[in-house]
Amino acid sequence: MLKAKTKNEFKDYLLAQGLKSTSQRELILEEFLRAGSHLSTEELYLRLRKKQPRIGYATVHRTLKLFSECGIAERRHFGDGQARYEACARDEHHDHLICVDCGKIVEFEDPRIEKLQDEVACSNGFAIERHRLELYGHCQDCRSK
Amino acid sequence: MLKAKTKNEFKDYLLAQGLKSTSQRELILEEFLRAGSHLSTEELYLRLRKKQPRIGYATVHRTLKLFSECGIAERRHFGDGQARYEACARDEHHDHLICVDCGKIVEFEDPRIEKLQDEVACSNGFAIERHRLELYGHCQDCRSK
DNA sequence: GCTCCGTTGAAAATGAATTTCAATTTAATC
DNA sequence: GATTAAATTGAAATTCATTTTCAACGGAGC
Ligand SMILES: [Mn+2]
Ligand SMILES: [Mn+2]
Ligand SMILES: [Zn+2]
Ligand SMILES: [Zn+2]
């Protein structure tokens, strides 16, 4: 099971860093994996409070940061002023289509675009480390309304 | 002259909106056009203070917002936590290469990438309104150091 | 000059992200 | 199981860019 694997990954990371496994961290990872992707800290925090009203925002924030550091999550910004986190399958990459009406986020991957990006970077003397491609527009549903 | 044209454009916009032409607004536009692109509010503000120490940060901020509204400037975010503005030639578009070492920003345009973006969006039922493509890496200069 | 109303700049407010710190919990050691 | 050192927690404070407030000011038409 994928969740179990990720949970072990996290525990291993904590151990390796001399950090501790806590009930909060377990709970946050559990809920992070259960919830859909692209959640903000606030959104995850609110979901968690329903299960554990005493959880602190700072703890959620710090734990998401831990997830990023150990490769479980990736931090994104889609221009609405707050960071969003998504679970990331290792060694995979995708870009995003974002509906400016309803906020829907669709993921895509296009090797042709990636290749052209490398080409452009190369011809400008750059060695690419990462990139960011976001397409903003109106989704099918919103257009047919 | 391009600057003169932009200045007139701005005056026309102000007039059309029932806004006023002021010495501050003229000064800010002058300096914005003189300075290189991709400046943050803070950077422009500091430059302006050397010429007019009484200028207010809020005025610079509001005026940059006006520039955006009337199509003279475009607001960008390159992930360093502050917005940057660049003068935009009307109906032109470009994307960015950003050096993560020295902060250098190189502009590029690739119709092939743009075309593929449309294709991807289309096949996902999206009508694209705008997009954002940023390539982060190490520039030639920084690599040879 | 007079008046209306938009503008200005200092200061305050906002909001997401991050840090502080005393109390608490974990996990290693006895 | 008790002891202890060190990490963690959560509330509150802080940070930092951005945005707003508001009283004084200034531009434009009369
Ligand atoms: Mn995604
Ligand atoms: Mn540019
Ligand atoms: Zn939609
Ligand atoms: Zn460089």
Side-chain angles (χ1 to χ4, degrees):
Chain A
M1 193 216 190
L2 228 151
K3 276 195 189 181
K5 191 177 163 246
T6 307
K7 287 182 188 176
N8 285 331
E9 216 175 299
F10 187 47
K11 283 208 171 172
D12 291 347
Y13 176 78
L14 292 177
L15 199 62
Q17 300 290 312
L19 305 177
K20 290 173 177 172
S21 191
T22 67
S23 65
Q24 288 93 335
R25 285 175 177 168
E26 281 177 37
L27 181 70
I28 293 170
L29 179 54
E30 174 72 37
E31 189 60 26
F32 175 67
L33 293 175
R34 191 199 320 279
S37 246
H38 311 121
L39 259 69
S40 67
T41 307
E42 179 75 19
E43 285 165 355
L44 185 58
Y45 168 65
L46 290 177
R47 286 184 66 126
L48 284 159
R49 281 236 302 203
K50 290 179 186 163
K51 306 197 166 177
Q52 175 48 264
R54 308 197 38 122
I55 196 100
Y57 183 95
T59 302
V60 178
H61 167 79
R62 286 183 288 229
T63 304
L64 281 170
K65 201 172 162 191
L66 275 182
F67 292 169
S68 300
E69 284 163 15
C70 76
I72 287 176
E74 226 166 314
R75 183 181 183 153
R76 309 264 192 191
H77 286 91
F78 295 126
D80 64 344
Q82 57 190 331
R84 296 183 174 279
Y85 295 82
E86 68 175 316
C88 57
R90 195 169 283 304
D91 292 332
E92 272 183 38
H93 164 78
H94 63 258
D95 294 303
H96 297 88
L97 273 157
I98 298 116
C99 179
V100 296
D101 298 319
C102 68
K104 185 194 298 168
I105 297 176
V106 175
E107 304 181 337
F108 72 88
E109 217 256 303
D110 192 313
R112 297 170 299 172
I113 295 181
E114 310 275 322
K115 190 164 184 302
L116 287 172
Q117 286 173 5
D118 274 338
E119 209 177 303
V120 165
C122 198
S123 71
N124 281 283
F126 272 70
I128 291 202
E129 191 172 80
R130 65 179 194 279
H131 72 260
R132 172 173 181 168
L133 172 58
E134 288 146 24
L135 310 179
Y136 294 87
H138 307 276
C139 77
Q140 188 98 66
D141 293 347
C142 288
R143 272 184 301 149
S144 55
K145 265 173 206 161
Chain B
M1 193 213 188
L2 227 150
K3 276 195 188 182
K5 193 178 162 243
T6 306
K7 287 182 188 175
N8 284 332
E9 216 175 297
F10 187 47
K11 285 209 172 171
D12 290 347
Y13 176 78
L14 293 177
L15 199 61
Q17 301 289 311
L19 305 176
K20 289 177 178 170
S21 192
T22 67
S23 65
Q24 287 93 335
R25 285 175 177 167
E26 282 177 36
L27 182 70
I28 293 169
L29 179 54
E30 175 72 38
E31 189 61 25
F32 174 68
L33 294 176
R34 191 199 321 277
S37 246
H38 310 120
L39 259 69
S40 66
T41 308
E42 179 75 19
E43 285 165 356
L44 185 57
Y45 168 65
L46 290 177
R47 287 184 65 125
L48 283 159
R49 282 234 301 201
K50 289 178 187 165
K51 305 196 167 178
Q52 175 47 265
R54 308 197 38 121
I55 196 97
Y57 183 95
T59 303
V60 178
H61 167 78
R62 287 183 288 230
T63 304
L64 282 170
K65 201 172 162 190
L66 275 181
F67 293 169
S68 298
E69 285 162 16
C70 76
I72 286 175
E74 225 166 316
R75 184 179 184 156
R76 308 263 192 191
H77 286 90
F78 294 127
D80 65 343
Q82 55 189 334
R84 295 184 174 279
Y85 295 82
E86 68 175 315
C88 57
R90 194 170 287 300
D91 293 332
E92 273 182 37
H93 165 78
H94 62 259
D95 294 302
H96 297 88
L97 272 157
I98 299 116
C99 179
V100 296
D101 298 319
C102 68
K104 186 193 299 167
I105 297 176
V106 175
E107 305 181 336
F108 72 89
E109 218 254 303
D110 193 314
R112 296 170 301 170
I113 295 180
E114 310 275 322
K115 191 164 185 302
L116 287 172
Q117 285 173 5
D118 275 339
E119 208 177 303
V120 165
C122 198
S123 71
N124 281 282
F126 272 69
I128 291 201
E129 191 172 80
R130 65 180 194 280
H131 72 260
R132 173 174 180 165
L133 172 58
E134 288 145 23
L135 309 180
Y136 294 88
H138 308 275
C139 78
Q140 189 98 65
D141 292 347
C142 289
R143 273 184 302 149
S144 55
K145 266 174 204 159

